[in-house]
Amino acid sequence: MTGPTVGAASEILIDRDGPLTRAAVLTGGRLTDLYIDYAERPSLLGHVFLGRVERIATGLDGAFVDLGTGKSGLLSALDARGPKGRPKAKGERIGNLLRTGQTVLVQVKADATGAKGPSLTMDITLPGRFLVHAPLGRDVAVSKRLGSGPERTELARRIQDIAPGAGWIVRAGAAPAPDGLLAAESDALHLAWRSIRDAAERGGGPSLLLTGPDAPRRALIEHGATAPSRIIVDDAALARDLAEWCADRAPDLEERVEPFDARFLAAPSDGRQRLFDLRDLDAEIETLLGTRVPLSGGGSLVIERTEAMTVVDVNAGERGNPLDVNLEAAAEIARQLRLRNAGGIVVVDFVNMRNRGDAERLLNALSRAVEDDPAQTQVYGLSKLGLVEMTRARRGTALAELLGTVRTAAAED
């Protein structure tokens, strides 16, 4: 018997490998996105807590919040709200918004890094495939990716008729979705918010009220709007769990969840392959820990990660046309940033181009390449030194740091 085959449409492959749960998104057979959870270092991204303000840090214009996890989070004034959830006024300082000992409803927007605790926000958002519920908001906002015009206005009106309550962000994939799917998702998100709100009103000590989506669910939320051809799961219990989740939140995906054939689930030592082996994904993930990425014609990217930023150098190899090299590099850089989960400042040294028009074409190509990145990514343009400056929002732990922690733990065992 052979394993599943990859078609032109996307597939999501999910497996559990010891302490790791991994979800890989393949488009046209190529790895485009990777989500990983490590049981020994669980991510708090998206978790909602009822916290307590430990102290006001005036110098940071923020507050340290006890989450009940043993490590306090930092809530910046930019992400804080005033009494009864009122929006922060422009220029308002943290001391006018919060007080020591106050209980606050917060969500983790970035995991802890190094000695720093997690970053928090009081602007709670609950993500879905088509909609994001922002229950403290008052409007229906439509993704900028949908452009402008009457279609945008009509979509906002449609969501107002379907979704309960207020505070909705309409994602780009919502436009072609049938009303039934939008209603099912909006109802599930609204019920989740009601559960959080009711628990917060009961009060008590610092506590977890809602866990953020795990790696498989993050993959389905970010890539399920255009339904993948199949969702293949290398763990029978996890396959059942995901099918139940889909039945509630994404009924059109339920029948696409397939447990990997049991004959391939035996231990790798007996010569049978696991799901990721059949796609050589383990080998590809290993290359993501290196610094060099080959391009066609002998060119390459050199990706160096520092504490302050990610630096990418583009080498032309034997190809003579700088624009061709740079255009290929732009697409691969966008892919590598997603796969490596790079966050923060990104600086790219492309191959020098003398034609100003070519530089504009390159910047446009890079901007298009990062458009579909689930993490907010902004291309700012060329610096005076000819370097392209970008930023990418931090989401969870960088791949190199996460897998480095896994290997260190394995070596100690």
Side-chain angles (χ1 to χ4, degrees):
M1 179 178 177
T2 60
T5 57
V6 176
S10 66
E11 287 184 324
I12 299 177
L13 311 184
I14 299 167
D15 87 333
R16 278 182 174 154
D17 183 11
L20 296 178
T21 300
R22 304 179 295 179
V25 180
L26 283 75
T27 305
R30 193 173 190 219
L31 181 65
T32 54
D33 288 273
L34 183 65
Y35 302 84
I36 299 180
D37 287 337
Y38 177 38
E40 303 300 322
R41 185 180 172 179
S43 171
L44 299 182
L45 188 65
H47 283 33
V48 178
F49 290 89
L50 183 64
R52 179 174 289 117
V53 178
E54 287 184 318
R55 65 184 176 91
I56 302 296
T58 306
L60 297 174
D61 198 19
F64 287 99
V65 180
D66 178 12
L67 303 175
T69 62
K71 197 165 191 175
S72 300
L74 178 62
L75 174 63
S76 166
L78 294 173
D79 294 303
R81 285 176 169 262
K84 298 183 179 180
R86 71 163 175 82
K88 170 185 173 295
K90 185 176 181 179
E92 192 170 11
R93 304 284 293 178
I94 192 70
N96 294 332
L97 300 168
L98 303 173
R99 67 181 187 280
T100 301
Q102 176 183 347
T103 58
V104 287
L105 189 62
V106 293
Q107 185 173 39
V108 177
K109 69 172 190 175
D111 275 322
T113 55
K116 297 180 181 179
S119 297
L120 309 176
T121 180
M122 292 178 69
D123 292 317
I124 311 298
T125 56
L126 307 177
R129 295 188 299 154
F130 307 111
L131 303 170
V132 177
H133 194 17
L136 300 181
R138 298 179 180 178
D139 303 317
V140 173
V142 180
S143 169
K144 294 179 180 178
R145 295 179 183 176
L146 291 171
S148 59
E151 298 85 358
R152 186 184 178 90
T153 304
E154 176 58 32
L155 182 57
R157 187 179 298 114
R158 182 177 162 213
I159 298 303
Q160 287 176 328
D161 292 339
I162 293 172
W168 296 95
I169 301 169
V170 186
R171 306 183 72 174
D179 287 356
L181 288 182
L182 297 177
E185 182 171 88
S186 62
D187 286 346
L189 294 174
H190 188 63
L191 285 173
W193 167 244
R194 287 177 55 186
S195 176
I196 293 169
R197 183 194 60 197
D198 292 347
E201 290 175 351
R202 290 193 291 269
S207 58
L208 174 65
L209 302 186
L210 178 77
T211 58
D214 58 11
R217 287 167 178 79
R218 292 198 302 275
L220 294 181
I221 287 171
E222 298 294 355
H223 301 280
T226 53
S229 59
R230 287 191 290 183
I231 303 160
I232 309 170
V233 188
D234 194 0
D235 182 282
L238 181 55
R240 289 193 297 270
D241 182 43
L242 285 178
E244 290 175 4
W245 182 87
C246 288
D248 179 54
R249 294 276 297 270
D252 59 318
L253 298 184
E254 182 182 6
E255 64 181 16
R256 299 173 190 263
V257 178
E258 304 177 17
F260 192 45
D261 193 283
R263 281 178 284 178
F264 287 88
L265 294 177
S269 59
D270 70 0
R272 297 177 181 176
Q273 291 180 305
R274 296 184 64 87
L275 176 59
F276 272 39
D277 293 331
L278 294 181
R279 298 292 193 278
D280 290 329
L281 291 181
D282 285 316
E284 184 160 4
I285 292 170
E286 186 69 25
T287 66
L288 297 174
L289 302 179
T291 60
R292 187 171 293 274
V293 179
L295 301 174
S296 62
S300 65
L301 307 177
V302 177
I303 304 174
E304 298 280 358
R305 179 173 167 268
T306 71
E307 187 172 343
M309 66 179 68
T310 298
V311 180
V312 183
D313 183 41
V314 181
N315 298 314
E318 298 177 1
R319 293 172 64 175
N321 189 329
L323 179 60
D324 289 344
V325 176
N326 287 339
L327 290 176
E328 180 186 355
E332 186 60 29
I333 288 167
R335 174 174 175 264
Q336 290 290 323
L337 294 178
R338 290 168 68 156
L339 291 172
R340 295 170 186 248
N341 199 20
I345 299 170
V346 180
V347 176
V348 185
D349 185 9
F350 283 101
V351 179
N352 289 335
M353 297 179 297
R354 297 181 180 179
N355 188 315
R356 191 176 187 85
D358 287 350
E360 289 296 325
R361 183 176 171 188
L362 171 62
L363 290 173
N364 289 336
L366 183 59
S367 296
R368 288 194 301 272
V370 301
E371 265 184 359
D372 293 331
D373 194 329
Q376 185 176 2
T377 305
Q378 180 71 44
V379 178
Y380 289 97
L382 285 167
S383 72
K384 290 182 179 180
L385 295 177
L387 305 175
V388 173
E389 299 174 333
M390 307 169 55
T391 57
R392 185 175 188 272
R394 297 185 186 277
R395 291 163 59 102
T397 306
L399 180 67
E401 182 181 344
L402 178 64
L403 295 187
T405 302
V406 174
R407 292 181 174 183
T408 300
E412 290 175 351
D413 291 343

